[in-house]
Amino acid sequence: QVYKGLDIITNKVSPQEQRLCRHHMISFVDPLVSNYTVVDFRDKAMALISYIFARDKIPIVVGGTNYYIESLLWKVLINTKEKASTAPGQVTDRKVELEQLDGVELHRRLSQVDPEMAAKLHPHDKRKVARSLQVFEEMGIPHSEILHQQQEEEGGGPLGGPLKYPHSCILWLHADQAALDQRLEKRVDDMLAAGLLEELRDFHRRYNQEKVAENRQDYQHGIFQSIGFKEFHEYLVSEGNCSPETSALLLQKGIQALKQVTKRYARRQNKWVRNRFLRRPGPNVPPVYGLEVSDLLRWEEDVLKPALEIVESFIQGREPPAEPVKMEYDVNENKRSHRVCELCDRVIIGDREWAAHTRSKSHLHHLKKRRKLEATSRAAKTEGDSGGTETSGEDSSLPL
């Protein structure tokens, strides 16, 4: 939402709602800037938070992308040198340059300068590997060493540095999965009714058509990676160059893809909250209060009223009437453990991920297949041994 354009598909708050409460950091980055990072977001947002506090107001951070919210909660990010240029279309960010390299080569380079970080990162996770390499190149210190320093600061924990704002409070709106899926599908239909296709065509014509023609389209950075834009790529590039029937089929394909990817993203968001906020060990975790939004007819009773009570309690320094959400976690769990499943030829990062992998259908299938091969091999060996018992003398030394 920081980028200008695609207001419908990114679900930006309407101008009417913005007039009711002052909003910040919406539609202020040129869509052709592809090197805007979470560090840029954090630095601007923290300055705004200080400005809001100075006026005796309370800043409300709305999600969203939980990774960006984490950058405001914990001291976990690394500052690197100023970018050489922020002009539209010029990608000078070293991380973006590194991401153009082969993933195996990137991981090999990181292994040479920061083996600890390389062991924690999956070789296919080019973004994180490139980020760690960028930190080392621009700061001269291994990324892992900087993270250790942050964790050892007063208030730090196993997964990061201390909280930036000790009196934070998280309100987590969650819904029953079936109700959420139905609501997300309706949201896509509402987008179409609000003029989504016109917005996509206009944005494609102004910013993307030339890139596609020159084969330099990048759906991995900036606003172009927004959910919903790339799903309509085939429809946008073929419109006017194919039959109406083909165009209609591509449009339906894009709509269904948008609905599916939106539902998958919602599941990932909920998983992130559970893993990063609720199962996060240590004392440096703000309380998370769950608000059930499955039934919109009960919004006042289930969401608005309890949320106001919780926030008012925080302002007054009282214990909120509601209990924060708690989930059990294993203090000995290693989220960055590094294992190789030779059976499946996969690298698995994290204890929980390894446990899930060993129970997965694909792993059990490979395991069953190997056991079958081993049983066949043993049977063949036994048969060969029994068949060779009658040979004697020099012939007995010949290989089977």
Side-chain angles (χ1 to χ4, degrees), residues 262-295:
T262 301
K263 288 186 284 189
R264 282 200 300 269
Y265 183 65
R267 284 173 168 79
R268 287 203 305 272
Q269 284 181 312
N270 285 328
K271 184 178 179 181
W272 185 293
V273 171
R274 287 191 290 269
N275 289 341
R276 302 289 289 174
F277 295 148
L278 300 180
R279 290 196 177 105
R280 194 178 182 118
N284 60 339
V285 185
V288 178
Y289 295 92
L291 299 170
E292 174 65 53
V293 296
S294 296
D295 187 355

Side-chain angles (χ1 to χ4, degrees), residues 151-194:
Q151 292 165 7
E152 290 168 2
E153 291 181 28
E154 185 178 353
L159 295 177
L163 282 167
K164 291 193 180 84
Y165 307 102
H167 303 293
S168 302
C169 165
I170 298 176
L171 302 177
W172 178 33
L173 277 63
H174 58 90
D176 174 75
Q177 193 63 57
L180 180 59
D181 287 347
Q182 186 178 17
R183 195 173 301 164
L184 291 173
E185 291 212 4
K186 183 180 182 301
R187 189 171 83 177
V188 173
D189 294 333
D190 291 342
M191 287 178 179
L192 290 162

Side-chain angles (χ1 to χ4, degrees), residues 136-345:
F136 177 79
E137 288 182 3
E138 297 185 357
M139 301 193 72
I141 305 172
H143 193 175
S144 57
E145 185 177 328
I146 298 173
L147 293 178
H148 282 312
Q149 292 172 3
Q150 291 179 346
Q151 292 165 7
E152 290 168 2
E153 291 181 28
E154 185 178 353
L159 295 177
L163 282 167
K164 291 193 180 84
Y165 307 102
H167 303 293
S168 302
C169 165
I170 298 176
L171 302 177
W172 178 33
L173 277 63
H174 58 90
D176 174 75
Q177 193 63 57
L180 180 59
D181 287 347
Q182 186 178 17
R183 195 173 301 164
L184 291 173
E185 291 212 4
K186 183 180 182 301
R187 189 171 83 177
V188 173
D189 294 333
D190 291 342
M191 287 178 179
L192 290 162
L196 174 61
L197 294 183
E198 289 76 12
E199 177 181 89
L200 289 172
R201 290 191 192 101
D202 178 64
F203 192 85
H204 177 66
R205 187 184 71 254
R206 292 166 61 192
Y207 299 108
N208 199 46
Q209 199 167 32
E210 188 178 335
K211 288 174 175 281
V212 172
E214 297 175 1
N215 197 28
R216 55 186 181 91
Q217 174 56 59
D218 178 11
Y219 286 114
Q220 302 301 318
H221 296 96
I223 195 171
F224 297 98
Q225 65 182 317
S226 300
I227 287 178
F229 185 63
K230 54 186 175 293
E231 281 71 26
F232 288 90
H233 174 82
E234 285 185 85
Y235 170 73
L236 292 170
V237 299
S238 64
E239 193 175 26
N241 300 316
C242 62
S243 67
E245 293 78 15
T246 301
S247 185
L249 287 172
L250 291 174
L251 174 58
Q252 286 304 313
K253 181 181 177 183
I255 293 171
Q256 292 306 313
L258 175 55
K259 289 181 177 181
Q260 290 300 320
V261 76
T262 301
K263 288 186 284 189
R264 282 200 300 269
Y265 183 65
R267 284 173 168 79
R268 287 203 305 272
Q269 284 181 312
N270 285 328
K271 184 178 179 181
W272 185 293
V273 171
R274 287 191 290 269
N275 289 341
R276 302 289 289 174
F277 295 148
L278 300 180
R279 290 196 177 105
R280 194 178 182 118
N284 60 339
V285 185
V288 178
Y289 295 92
L291 299 170
E292 174 65 53
V293 296
S294 296
D295 187 355
L296 294 181
L297 296 177
R298 291 186 52 83
W299 178 268
E300 296 278 339
E301 304 96 315
D302 294 348
V303 184
L304 183 58
K305 185 180 176 182
L308 290 174
E309 289 175 348
I310 291 166
V311 173
E312 188 177 12
S313 299
F314 263 79
I315 293 172
Q316 297 175 355
R318 296 185 287 106
E319 282 291 320
E323 285 290 321
V325 181
K326 294 189 181 298
M327 294 187 75
E328 292 185 6
Y329 58 83
D330 183 358
V331 294
N332 297 315
E333 179 188 346
N334 185 351
K335 293 181 181 244
R336 290 298 186 187
S337 62
H338 185 281
R339 295 181 178 90
V340 177
C341 179
E342 296 180 356
L343 197 60
C344 304
D345 191 25

Side-chain angles (χ1 to χ4, degrees), residues 335-387:
K335 293 181 181 244
R336 290 298 186 187
S337 62
H338 185 281
R339 295 181 178 90
V340 177
C341 179
E342 296 180 356
L343 197 60
C344 304
D345 191 25
R346 286 186 58 189
V347 176
I348 309 296
I349 305 295
D351 290 352
R352 195 179 306 149
E353 287 72 13
W354 174 255
H357 173 72
T358 56
R359 296 192 300 267
S360 68
K361 287 183 179 179
S362 61
H363 178 81
L364 294 176
H365 171 74
H366 284 110
L367 188 62
K368 183 179 179 181
K369 190 175 179 182
R370 186 177 72 175
R371 286 172 177 168
K372 189 175 180 180
L373 286 171
E374 289 175 347
T376 304
S377 177
R378 283 196 299 270
K381 187 176 185 301
T382 302
E383 185 179 334
D385 289 344
S386 61

